[in-house]
Amino acid sequence: MSEEPGHERVIAGRYRLLAPLGEGGMGTVWRARDALLHREVAVKEVRAPAGLGGDDVQRMYARLEREAWAAARVTNRNVVTVYDVATDEGRPWVVMELVRGLSLAEVLDAEGPLSPQRAAHIGAEVLAALRAAHEAGVLHRDVKPANVLIANDGRIVLTDFGIAMVEGSSALTMTGEVIGSPEFLAPERALGRTPGPESDLWSLGVLLYAAVEGHSPFRHDTPLSTLRAIVDEELPPPYRAGPLAPVIEGLLRKEPEQRLPAERAEQELRVIGAGGSPRADTVRAVPYPPAAAARTEPSPTPPMAFPGQPAATDPGGTAPVARQERDRRAGRVLVAGVVALALAVGGLTYALLNDGGGDGDRGAEASTPAGTKDPPRNTGSGKSSPSPTPTPSESERSSPPPQSVRVALEGSRTHYTGPCPPPGARAPRFTATLTVGRLPAEVRYRWVTRDGSVLDGGWKTASFPEGGGRTKQDAVTVTTEARSGTFENEIAVEVREPVRTTSESVPFSITCETETPTGGASPSPSDTEPDTEEDPDGGSGSS
């Protein structure tokens, strides 16, 4: 690399770097000027991961250079063209076609989740690129929204072919740092097995899921927990995917040989992108709910979007597609997290929960090992337990009791009828009480509905530190932006760790009634209910 005083850097005496276009774990992509052919190009500066030895770095650079030249043989309108691989100061610089437009990641950030039809069109173009590369013996290994470009002329281009990961190398560096994007890795790659074309198909399935749902299905707080989820966890049902759901599920099967074949997947995506439906034998379909959005409130516990199915008599089910898409975007922007807080009542409430108290509570309890229950209490009735009381020496030798998690779910205002969106003080509200058997504990849980929809972004964590309380609460308020129709569903809390259990479901409904305007003006939701109306539970509806 040379650098002229007062000018930009020049690579291999030919490519003048003008400005960075993006940066990732393996390097930086620059907008550059080809001084020989007088055209602008994209140049990728490749950097070796931290921790690699000198010999390993050189082998990696040599392999990357060979694979970049292999990618240059792929001829397809959906594949970014590789012009040159320039070596400068012992490092390869990959020179590619400059595509003017936005990446799919930028589009998702700006617009929110895509409609199933638009996502299917993009997916079909990406899959055409992958099939062309696979026929040339090139694996992509890093299919993700940031590597899918949507050109200004509408062309869909897959970039970074053959240079994101090196075949035969580990997904982890010697320091444990994950290279690439763990949430898009296939299970076989997470397990260190040799990837194949099916690994790219899995990554495409994750991309499609993220495009319609707004988040990838297996993302966790850390790279290693994400990899574990990819290998061990079931696919969370995609409830916004509609006709695209069978294709997504077909691509995201854990075993590579069981995934939807590339040719069949592209056919289905073309059909869905044109407004059709996939074949019935593709895979089990998942319901596609109507547009519903959360509404911001001054309450500490923001309401949640209700992804319920409308009744058959719902006159709002024929809303234009543009409005449904706009509502889905509004739902993504306005849905807020629900705050978990420690229960302030203390020991009295804990005792009531352990006794199953509360007429409105619907509870579930699990412990490890399965089937283990808390020992019976001495109720003072004079009837002794058939099991003898252990002596102090026996108690000292016994192992700690198995961990248990108790989930009690209570609903208030569960059936709403009136103008929509419902006023915050009248919208259906649910409170989950989580109680652990011993401290410390970390409980992973999520809110789910009867039809399999996952609410509030998926899995959440409640921490119970040593010396703290054994009970915590989480609450949600459900609303909808629909103006008419009836929405019926059930809500429950599912616990995954440290044990698996699910609370009993609480049914609820929202019936939106359209009021006749009076005096030439339509009443607003706040006008239909006086500010002084007493909440049925004697509160304001906040946590």
Side-chain angles (χ1 to χ4, degrees), residues 144-455:
K144 60 183 180 181
N147 285 339
V148 176
L149 304 179
I150 302 177
N152 294 337
D153 60 1
R155 176 179 164 219
I156 308 298
V157 182
L158 185 60
T159 186
D160 262 6
F161 259 97
I163 62 177
M165 284 290 292
V166 180
E167 184 174 4
S169 67
S170 173
L172 300 175
T173 69
M174 290 182 291
T175 60
E177 179 187 5
V178 177
I179 300 300
S181 304
E183 60 197 279
F184 293 92
L185 258 62
E188 58 272 20
R189 287 188 57 198
L191 293 171
R193 299 171 184 168
T194 302
E198 298 81 10
S199 302
D200 283 345
L201 296 182
W202 169 281
S203 301
L204 175 62
V206 178
L207 180 147
L208 292 172
Y209 188 106
V212 294
E213 298 297 315
H215 60 88
S216 58
F218 300 106
R219 180 190 302 166
H220 280 250
D221 297 336
T222 65
L224 292 181
S225 61
T226 296
L227 295 177
R228 186 181 69 172
I230 289 171
V231 173
D232 295 335
E233 292 184 7
E234 295 297 323
L235 175 69
Y239 66 87
R240 285 194 175 103
L244 192 56
V247 179
I248 292 176
E249 293 189 350
L251 293 173
L252 293 182
R253 293 166 180 160
K254 300 288 188 183
E255 297 299 327
E257 63 275 8
Q258 296 179 3
R259 287 172 201 153
L260 199 61
E263 182 179 4
R264 170 75 178 278
E266 184 178 353
Q267 292 173 353
E268 301 289 3
L269 291 172
R270 298 285 183 196
V271 170
I272 299 169
S277 299
R279 286 165 45 179
D281 61 342
T282 300
V283 77
R284 177 183 62 84
V286 173
Y288 182 38
R295 178 164 49 88
T296 55
E297 303 244 358
S299 166
T301 303
M304 295 184 60
F306 166 45
Q309 299 268 4
T313 58
D314 175 17
T318 57
V321 173
R323 177 178 177 181
Q324 294 184 14
E325 177 64 14
R326 185 169 60 252
D327 288 343
R328 280 195 293 276
R329 293 177 187 171
R332 186 189 75 90
V333 173
L334 297 178
V335 172
V338 182
V339 180
L341 62 145
L343 184 64
V345 177
L348 176 60
T349 303
Y350 174 71
L352 290 175
L353 289 174
N354 279 342
D355 286 332
D359 294 339
D361 288 352
R362 297 165 179 257
E365 182 177 7
S367 62
T368 305
T372 304
K373 300 294 183 180
D374 288 340
R377 292 186 183 85
N378 184 352
T379 62
S381 62
K383 296 181 179 180
S384 60
S385 169
S387 300
T389 302
T391 64
S393 59
E394 290 174 340
S395 300
E396 292 172 1
R397 290 194 302 268
S398 63
S399 60
Q403 183 61 280
S404 64
V405 178
R406 187 185 189 89
V407 188
L409 183 59
E410 182 178 3
S412 60
R413 310 186 298 267
T414 54
H415 299 285
Y416 169 82
T417 299
C420 288
R426 296 183 57 197
R429 177 182 171 83
F430 305 91
T431 302
T433 303
L434 306 172
T435 304
V436 297
R438 57 186 174 87
L439 301 174
E442 294 279 336
V443 177
R444 293 281 291 174
Y445 68 97
R446 64 181 178 182
W447 293 86
V448 294
T449 59
R450 176 188 57 202
D451 57 11
S453 300
V454 178
L455 308 183

